[in-house]
Amino acid sequence: PGSSPCRSVIMVAKAVGVELNKKLLNLQAGEHLKPEFLKINPQHTIPTLVDNGFALWESRAILVYLVEKYGKTDSLYPKCPKKRALINQRLYFDMGTLYQSFANYYYPQVFAKAPADPEAFKKIEAAFEFLNTFLEGQTYVAGDSLTVADIALLASVSTFEVAKFDISKYDNVSRWYENGKKVTPGWDENWAGCLE
């Protein structure tokens, strides 16, 4: 529940009508390193999806898979190559820039009791500036309707909110975020996971 990548999968599953059989792994106890989990996912990361024997990890790949396999429409991940390219860019931005900036700044403080790194904090601010620019004049982050990119980014931004990062400095992000809370299936479960 504390993992934004896991929560993004939960929200997309809800959006496409897939009932997940969720398994909670205690990472601190090393449950993700046990042989039975390594057999499913040798990279031992979460989330990991197993769908009728097919194992897949990396949350953003799982989001796309869920929509392509179970979506009744392609609205969350349209078939148009240009629309998909924009969605993919935003998914990679989430993975490599926005969420990575969270991990680089907050994880050392939480897991290693390290002091806050002001340079890492500047990377968070830069990431939010980019996101704010992407959202200029836009209701959604990659087109004119809710997509998997919005859901992945919504999970990440909600994690920043619970960590007390001031989102209000970014007008476009704040507007998009407030809308996302209203229109995204599974938002309540996402927020409960953040608070946990």
Side-chain angles (χ1 to χ4, degrees):
S3 161
S4 67
C6 290
R7 293 191 320 269
S8 68
V9 170
I10 289 167
M11 289 188 284
V12 168
K14 183 113 177 157
V16 297
V18 169
E19 184 73 31
L20 295 173
N21 178 15
K22 294 174 266 192
K23 310 271 187 203
L24 187 62
L25 288 179
N26 184 335
L27 302 182
Q28 282 73 26
E31 289 182 359
H32 61 303
L33 301 173
K34 290 186 173 182
E36 55 270 22
F37 189 74
L38 292 174
K39 187 175 180 185
I40 296 167
N41 175 354
Q43 198 174 349
H44 57 79
T45 55
I46 60 164
T48 296
L49 176 77
V50 180
D51 183 17
N52 295 315
F54 173 68
L56 183 64
W57 53 94
E58 174 30 55
S59 63
R60 293 138 195 104
I62 295 170
L63 304 182
V64 169
Y65 172 77
L66 287 171
V67 172
E68 289 188 322
K69 179 145 188 212
Y70 295 104
K72 289 158 189 60
T73 71
D74 71 347
S75 67
L76 290 174
Y77 194 63
K79 295 196 181 347
C80 168
K82 288 182 180 177
K83 288 180 179 180
R84 274 199 178 178
L86 188 58
I87 292 166
N88 290 338
Q89 186 278 322
R90 302 301 196 248
L91 289 171
Y92 297 141
F93 167 79
D94 180 47
M95 183 173 82
T97 304
L98 185 69
Y99 187 75
Q100 190 62 51
S101 74
F102 181 92
N104 291 346
Y105 181 72
Y106 289 104
Y107 286 4
Q109 295 174 64
V110 172
F111 299 117
K113 307 296 182 229
D117 177 354
E119 291 304 310
F121 190 79
K122 287 179 186 173
K123 300 270 186 179
I124 291 173
E125 293 176 315
F128 269 85
E129 285 294 341
F130 287 131
L131 182 56
N132 205 57
T133 299
F134 299 158
L135 287 162
E136 186 65 41
Q138 302 292 317
T139 302
Y140 298 99
V141 78
D144 56 6
S145 63
L146 184 76
T147 68
V148 294
D150 291 286
I151 296 172
L153 286 159
L154 190 69
S156 294
V157 170
S158 62
T159 306
F160 279 99
E161 181 187 14
V162 86
K164 307 282 189 248
F165 179 77
D166 185 7
I167 298 163
S168 70
K169 296 189 299 189
Y170 308 91
D171 292 344
N172 297 330
V173 175
S174 294
R175 179 184 38 76
W176 163 83
Y177 184 57
E178 289 307 314
N179 180 62
K181 292 179 191 181
K182 295 175 193 151
V183 302
T184 305
W187 165 259
D188 292 342
E189 189 171 353
N190 173 73
W191 188 244
C194 281
L195 295 177
E196 188 178 311

